[in-house]
Amino acid sequence: MKKQLIYFGIGALIFDYFYINKVCEIKPMLLSYNPLKKFDNNNMKHNNGVTNSNLKKNELVPNTTLKDDENSTLFDLYKDQVFYQDYFITEITIKNNKENNNNNEKDNKENGNNEITIEDFTKAFFTSPIFTPELNLFSTSKDDINNKMKFIVGESIKPFEIINKKSENNEILLHARERFNALTWLKVVKVNKGKKKLKEEEDVTCYELHYRCGLVNRSYFNKVLFTTLFPFHYVYARYLLAGAKQMLQQKFN
């Protein structure tokens, strides 16, 4: 039995290395974990007069002192309240010729020139097979996400709620307030073709897909509990991004 577990573990590591790192090309950008970090909104310079007693359960206060420039993101508005975060990037290349993709007429009309939008990425992220167990856990329908959602502030993909969005920057921020007090940030960036070797005869566009998760839980019990779970989340997050990438590849190529 012990040998079988060892063989299984070795096989899992080999599969993870080749599938995530070589096939899906998921690149880790940041891992930060500080379970001793305290949350005290009363001492925040950017709290705009809001105190802990005024806050609803797990409510967040954005840092409005940040400059609104190309280097700041929606996640940065709350990053000083986060005690854990992981951040991953991957690249995806799609063909610009609409005849070579599987989009229907409605999708083509919405996307214009067959471009990946933040709505496409968000939809792929939350409807991928990797995320399906979480959808089932919270009784969320993929059909509702695919056909009914407009991905605007206030809409929910349980347990997440869209709390901010910048369509011009192709980024969106979601907050799971009730259960986990977690932030999920997604962003699509169009990459210069020169950054990646592409076949000259193909008319393609390359994009970066960004996924960043942060936990803002103020409960010491939950922080201690997460101490044992964060290695699992680090692995799980990489597969979530890989699943979203695969969904987009199937849709656009």
Side-chain angles (χ1 to χ4, degrees):
M1 185 66 179
K2 290 183 178 179
K3 288 185 177 180
Q4 291 176 339
L5 290 175
I6 293 174
Y7 292 150
F8 176 80
I10 294 174
L13 289 174
I14 294 174
F15 172 80
D16 179 82
Y17 174 78
F18 282 100
Y19 179 71
I20 295 296
N21 296 324
K22 299 299 183 181
V23 178
C24 298
E25 298 181 324
I26 306 299
K27 303 173 184 177
M29 300 299 294
L30 176 67
L31 175 63
S32 174
Y33 179 54
N34 181 11
L36 300 179
K37 186 173 184 178
K38 295 182 179 180
F39 179 92
D40 185 3
N41 188 65
N42 295 331
N43 295 327
M44 288 187 182
K45 296 180 181 180
H46 64 266
N47 64 5
N48 300 320
V50 179
T51 64
N52 286 334
S53 59
N54 301 133
L55 291 174
K56 298 178 182 178
K57 181 182 178 182
N58 293 339
E59 185 178 359
L60 302 178
V61 180
N63 186 348
T64 55
T65 64
L66 287 177
K67 294 181 179 180
D68 188 14
D69 56 34
E70 60 181 9
N71 295 320
S72 65
T73 69
L74 295 178
F75 190 94
D76 292 333
L77 296 173
Y78 305 93
K79 68 178 181 179
D80 56 357
Q81 303 170 52
V82 169
F83 78 90
Y84 170 86
Q85 58 178 311
D86 49 37
Y87 180 13
F88 300 95
I89 292 178
T90 188
E91 287 188 358
I92 181 173
T93 302
I94 66 169
K95 297 178 181 178
N96 295 328
N97 186 353
K98 295 180 182 179
E99 295 179 358
N100 292 330
N101 66 64
N102 297 321
N103 291 346
N104 58 37
E105 184 176 351
K106 181 180 178 181
D107 287 334
N108 284 331
K109 185 177 180 180
E110 290 176 350
N111 288 331
N113 295 322
N114 194 31
E115 294 187 350
I116 298 178
T117 65
I118 188 58
E119 291 82 7
D120 294 320
F121 184 24
T122 307
K123 187 183 297 185
F125 185 89
F126 286 102
T127 59
S128 74
I130 306 298
F131 199 81
T132 297
E134 287 197 49
L135 290 182
N136 295 335
L137 181 63
F138 295 100
S139 301
T140 302
S141 169
K142 287 187 180 182
D143 290 336
D144 290 344
I145 297 175
N146 286 322
N147 302 318
K148 296 182 180 180
M149 287 196 65
K150 297 181 179 179
F151 299 97
I152 59 177
V153 173
E155 285 190 318
S156 296
I157 304 174
K158 293 182 179 180
F160 291 93
E161 178 186 349
I162 300 174
I163 61 172
N164 210 334
K165 179 183 178 183
K166 282 187 176 180
S167 298
E168 65 275 17
N169 291 346
N170 255 347
E171 62 175 323
I172 195 169
L173 185 68
L174 301 97
H175 182 205
R177 176 183 299 177
E178 296 299 325
R179 303 264 179 171
F180 311 107
N181 203 9
L183 292 170
T184 291
W185 173 76
L186 304 173
K187 183 179 176 68
V188 179
V189 178
K190 185 180 290 188
V191 180
N192 189 318
K193 290 184 179 181
K195 292 185 178 181
K196 189 172 182 180
K197 294 181 180 180
L198 302 172
K199 295 180 181 180
E200 295 181 358
E201 64 269 19
E202 289 185 346
D203 183 15
V204 297
T205 302
C206 184
Y207 295 87
E208 285 181 347
L209 305 177
H210 295 242
Y211 166 46
R212 193 171 183 177
C213 173
L215 293 181
V216 202
N217 209 310
R218 300 162 198 165
S219 166
Y220 284 104
F221 172 77
N222 287 331
K223 285 183 178 181
V224 173
L225 177 63
F226 190 74
T227 300
T228 62
L229 297 178
F230 91 82
F232 165 78
H233 186 275
Y234 182 82
V235 174
Y236 176 56
R238 293 153 69 233
Y239 278 89
L240 285 175
L241 184 55
K245 178 179 180 178
Q246 185 178 29
M247 293 282 288
L248 290 171
Q249 285 175 328
Q250 292 174 353
K251 178 178 180 180
F252 287 95
N253 289 323

